[in-house]
Amino acid sequence: MMYKDPKQPVEVRVKDLLSRMTLAEKIGQMTQIERVNATFDAMKNYFIGSVLSGGGSVPSPNATAQQWIDMVNDIQRGAMATRLGIPMIYGVDAVHGHNNVYKATIFPHNVGLGATRDPNLVKRIGAATALEVRATGIPYAFAPCIAVCRDPRWGRCYESYSEDAKLVQQFSVIISGLQGDAPSKQVKKGRPFVGGKDKVAACAKHYVGDGGTVNGINENNTIVTTEQLFDIHMPPYWSALDQRVSTVMISYSSINGKKMHANKELVTEYLKEKLKFKGFTISDWEGIDRITSPPHSNYTYSVQESVLAGLDMIMVPYLYPEFINILTDLVNKKVIPMRRINDAVKRILRVKFEMGLFENPYADNSFVNKLGCKEHRELAREAQQSPPVLPLEKKLPKILVAGTHADNLGYQCGGWTIEWQGDSGNNYTEGTTILRAINATVDPSTQVVFSERPDYNFVKDNNFSIGIVVVGEVPYAETKGDNTNLTLPWPAPDIINNVCKATKCVVVLVSGRPLVIEPYVEAMDALVAAWLPGSEGQGVADALFGDSPFTGKLSRT
């Protein structure tokens, strides 16, 4: 059977398996049930494709990692006993660590992580969370929440990294922590990815607009123009797809009165067709029931509208025989076309193949000791402290100082210095360059390495504690300083990128005016506007290392 051959391309395996499946087996794959219902017989007889733990649903009070593994494996045996042996995928809400599990590391909620302004920290938390989820035998996390909370009255606002879509986009990098870094080689856009047995399938949620409801009322209506939708709520999903997120959970909420669980325009036409998302969409808990008011009052309509809208897997979670019977009837009556069912199942199988679930359906016990381990607890402690990068410690193993303005007194002083237009170099007047000041300030045991224009590999290979990048404008005066675009002069962008993408960094900007730095800010850990500090670079070093506080406020926008 071709689908059982791991050497075959994923799409070949998907096509082969799909061609062998009956309607009952296909609809089973679309069904996610709660663990309390997931008996051996239920899994085998209904061909169930997925199981979850709802909030607080555990194998037993204070269950150990091994008890979780035993439960997941027992459920998996039912799935593997089916005719085609399609493994189920077990999912859990691991939204700030593996938060359902006793003795797991509990990380700060997203609202606190957003305040760190440290996407790399959040990526590390994603990797740690993935290990702890895998430690309990689970390969799928319903995380991250990439809502843009616009009203703090919303009860889920702490699940949002920020009210600013750009910050939420930055913090979506937790997906790469959970799933692993997707290979840079050319891959069709939107394909799911999971990078090994120590990673999990992630779930970007809740698509879309959950953080924008009127008055912050949960599951309510988000009233937005098209421009607002795509400026505020959609950008994090673009970043999620760039990282090849495996699944997307649909929101309980509505967009301009249209329930997202029934919104074909945004789920199928935009997410799947325009953005080319190839993973699977999943409903929220009893999410399709809430298409009607009161919930579940017309379940046939709810099943019909949600599946036609483009939902692939339905988090039922309890009344699965009713769901399966209704969906089967709708397909047999041709209300829902078979191509829609095939599309849903193809997506679910694709994720399962991509993550290696067919080769490794059972839990790997080797990760058990990662649950709540010291390393992860230290990381959680770091996330709570989240100290600012500045002031820098004086006693560090090795500091890199880089940039055209680090050891150039002329640049540091600017125009109208000795010469009308100013000049370059250290021979025109007396003073202390920023580099000399840093050397005079740090502990004698600290090694200071200066490289004006280091390349990325040099920085990466040298294991620096911090990089200090000093760049800016060259001296000018009067008309010669006129500038119509205010861009950061070359080679500053290259230096910033080479240093800040390879190590923790502080950028000191030496300039006579505000400059356009937005394209580079994301790579920085701290930014200092030094303006034109004059001959005494020691003042800059004093602020960098905490001998004097930063007390200035910008005089210009």
Side-chain angles (χ1 to χ4, degrees), residues 29 455 510:
Q29 285 301 301
D455 64 33
V510 177

Side-chain angles (χ1 to χ4, degrees), residues 275-350:
L275 296 185
K276 311 292 186 189
F277 174 60
K278 302 297 183 187
F280 68 79
T281 59
I282 182 170
S283 82
D284 209 330
W285 176 279
E286 294 181 343
I288 71 169
D289 304 48
R290 302 183 200 188
I291 290 173
T292 59
S293 183
H296 205 82
S297 57
N298 187 345
Y299 198 49
T300 299
Y301 175 79
S302 294
V303 173
Q304 174 183 318
E305 287 301 293
S306 59
V307 174
L308 286 175
L311 273 73
D312 302 316
M313 184 179 284
I314 308 300
M315 193 183 291
V316 176
Y318 298 120
L319 304 176
Y320 62 95
E322 181 186 12
F323 168 75
I324 288 170
N325 290 337
I326 288 173
L327 183 52
T328 303
D329 188 53
L330 288 169
V331 174
N332 287 333
K333 289 178 177 175
K334 297 185 169 34
V335 176
I336 295 176
M338 184 59 77
R339 68 176 181 275
R340 173 74 273 274
I341 301 299
N342 287 342
D343 172 66
V345 178
K346 193 182 299 182
R347 291 166 177 277
I348 294 164
L349 295 178
R350 182 180 292 129

Side-chain angles (χ1 to χ4, degrees), residues 113-124 171 382 525:
L113 296 180
T116 68
R117 296 297 200 274
D118 190 346
N120 183 58
L121 171 69
V122 171
K123 182 179 179 181
R124 288 160 57 209
F171 284 101
E382 178 186 342
D525 295 288

Side-chain angles (χ1 to χ4, degrees), residues 98 102-106 128 132 135 367-377:
H98 198 6
Y102 181 61
K103 290 189 176 179
T105 308
I106 304 299
E132 297 209 13
F367 297 123
V368 165
N369 64 351
K370 292 295 183 181
L371 184 73
C373 65
K374 183 180 179 182
E375 179 187 357
H376 294 170
R377 294 190 181 280

Side-chain angles (χ1 to χ4, degrees), residues 220-500:
N220 208 258
N221 189 24
T222 298
I223 301 172
V224 282
T225 63
T226 301
E227 185 178 36
Q228 289 169 332
L229 177 64
F230 288 96
D231 282 352
I232 299 170
H233 300 288
M234 198 64 80
Y237 289 92
W238 303 334
S239 298
L241 265 64
D242 285 343
Q243 295 170 78
R244 296 176 58 186
V245 70
S246 295
T247 73
V248 173
M249 185 179 290
I250 309 304
S251 178
Y252 287 126
S253 57
S254 304
I255 294 288
N256 298 327
K258 179 72 172 178
K259 288 278 189 181
M260 277 305 305
H261 275 72
N263 196 322
K264 183 177 181 179
E265 180 183 0
L266 287 175
V267 175
T268 294
E269 295 173 12
Y270 186 74
L271 178 64
K272 291 182 172 182
E273 294 175 359
K274 189 173 179 67
L275 296 185
K276 311 292 186 189
F277 174 60
K278 302 297 183 187
F280 68 79
T281 59
I282 182 170
S283 82
D284 209 330
W285 176 279
E286 294 181 343
I288 71 169
D289 304 48
R290 302 183 200 188
I291 290 173
T292 59
S293 183
H296 205 82
S297 57
N298 187 345
Y299 198 49
T300 299
Y301 175 79
S302 294
V303 173
Q304 174 183 318
E305 287 301 293
S306 59
V307 174
L308 286 175
L311 273 73
D312 302 316
M313 184 179 284
I314 308 300
M315 193 183 291
V316 176
Y318 298 120
L319 304 176
Y320 62 95
E322 181 186 12
F323 168 75
I324 288 170
N325 290 337
I326 288 173
L327 183 52
T328 303
D329 188 53
L330 288 169
V331 174
N332 287 333
K333 289 178 177 175
K334 297 185 169 34
V335 176
I336 295 176
M338 184 59 77
R339 68 176 181 275
R340 173 74 273 274
I341 301 299
N342 287 342
D343 172 66
V345 178
K346 193 182 299 182
R347 291 166 177 277
I348 294 164
L349 295 178
R350 182 180 292 129
V351 171
K352 291 183 177 183
F353 280 122
E354 288 280 3
M355 67 192 299
L357 200 56
F358 280 78
E359 286 66 58
N360 299 287
Y362 296 105
D364 185 340
N365 291 53
S366 63
F367 297 123
V368 165
N369 64 351
K370 292 295 183 181
L371 184 73
C373 65
K374 183 180 179 182
E375 179 187 357
H376 294 170
R377 294 190 181 280
E378 288 297 321
L379 181 59
R381 182 178 177 184
E382 178 186 342
Q384 291 172 57
Q385 295 166 343
S386 297
V389 176
L390 297 174
L392 300 174
E393 293 180 45
K394 294 179 182 177
K395 191 172 184 178
L396 292 169
K398 187 160 60 170
I399 293 174
L400 170 67
V401 180
T404 48
H405 291 54
D407 193 30
N408 194 313
L409 200 58
Y411 283 5
Q412 192 174 299
C413 293
W416 290 103
T417 305
I418 310 301
E419 301 286 347
W420 175 41
Q421 293 291 329
D423 215 325
S424 172
N426 297 330
N427 302 322
Y428 298 97
T429 190
E430 289 187 359
T432 304
T433 66
I434 293 170
L435 173 64
R436 284 177 58 195
I438 290 169
N439 273 309
T441 302
V442 298
D443 188 89
S445 65
T446 298
Q447 181 185 359
V448 177
V449 177
F450 174 62
S451 175
E452 186 173 303
R453 302 181 188 181
D455 64 33
Y456 173 86
N457 290 329
F458 170 83
V459 181
K460 192 73 176 173
D461 294 343
N462 273 278
N463 197 29
F464 292 107
S465 307
I466 191 79
I468 302 173
V469 179
V470 190
V471 290
E473 294 184 295
V474 297
Y476 53 77
E478 300 186 32
T479 306
K480 288 194 176 182
D482 288 353
N483 187 325
T484 57
N485 55 40
L486 296 181
T487 53
L488 192 59
W490 184 88
D494 290 349
I495 299 170
I496 291 170
N497 285 329
N498 287 346
V499 175
C500 295

Side-chain angles (χ1 to χ4, degrees), residues 46-292:
Y46 287 93
F47 314 103
I48 299 299
S50 186
V51 178
L52 84 151
S53 279
S57 179
V58 298
S60 62
N62 301 340
T64 63
Q66 190 60 54
Q67 286 174 307
W68 276 92
I69 286 173
D70 293 343
M71 178 198 69
V72 174
N73 283 345
D74 283 346
I75 294 170
Q76 189 69 281
R77 289 185 186 96
M80 298 305 289
T82 56
R83 180 178 72 95
L84 295 170
I86 303 173
M88 67 88 194
I89 181 171
Y90 198 105
V92 66
D93 285 283
V95 297
H96 62 133
H98 198 6
N99 46 269
N100 259 358
V101 176
Y102 181 61
K103 290 189 176 179
T105 308
I106 304 299
F107 292 97
H109 269 294
N110 292 350
V111 64
L113 296 180
T116 68
R117 296 297 200 274
D118 190 346
N120 183 58
L121 171 69
V122 171
K123 182 179 179 181
R124 288 160 57 209
I125 287 172
T129 299
L131 266 177
E132 297 209 13
V133 172
R134 282 288 195 172
T136 57
I138 296 172
Y140 179 24
F142 303 133
C145 176
I146 51 176
V148 182
C149 175
R150 305 292 286 183
D151 191 322
R153 290 177 289 183
W154 186 34
R156 301 187 76 160
C157 208
Y158 62 79
E159 295 184 52
S160 171
Y161 292 108
S162 175
E163 66 181 32
D164 183 338
K166 290 182 179 178
L167 279 175
V168 178
Q169 276 189 282
Q170 291 175 29
F171 284 101
S172 74
V173 74
I174 193 173
I175 291 168
S176 293
L178 290 163
Q179 296 192 158
D181 288 308
S184 56
K185 65 182 181 180
Q186 287 296 319
V187 178
K188 283 186 178 178
K189 187 179 178 183
R191 286 195 67 86
F193 171 79
V194 179
K197 291 197 286 184
D198 60 343
K199 300 297 180 183
V200 296
C203 181
K205 66 181 188 182
H206 308 85
Y207 183 82
V208 60
D210 52 337
T213 57
V214 175
N215 296 330
I217 299 171
N218 192 38
E219 302 181 17
N220 208 258
N221 189 24
T222 298
I223 301 172
V224 282
T225 63
T226 301
E227 185 178 36
Q228 289 169 332
L229 177 64
F230 288 96
D231 282 352
I232 299 170
H233 300 288
M234 198 64 80
Y237 289 92
W238 303 334
S239 298
L241 265 64
D242 285 343
Q243 295 170 78
R244 296 176 58 186
V245 70
S246 295
T247 73
V248 173
M249 185 179 290
I250 309 304
S251 178
Y252 287 126
S253 57
S254 304
I255 294 288
N256 298 327
K258 179 72 172 178
K259 288 278 189 181
M260 277 305 305
H261 275 72
N263 196 322
K264 183 177 181 179
E265 180 183 0
L266 287 175
V267 175
T268 294
E269 295 173 12
Y270 186 74
L271 178 64
K272 291 182 172 182
E273 294 175 359
K274 189 173 179 67
L275 296 185
K276 311 292 186 189
F277 174 60
K278 302 297 183 187
F280 68 79
T281 59
I282 182 170
S283 82
D284 209 330
W285 176 279
E286 294 181 343
I288 71 169
D289 304 48
R290 302 183 200 188
I291 290 173
T292 59

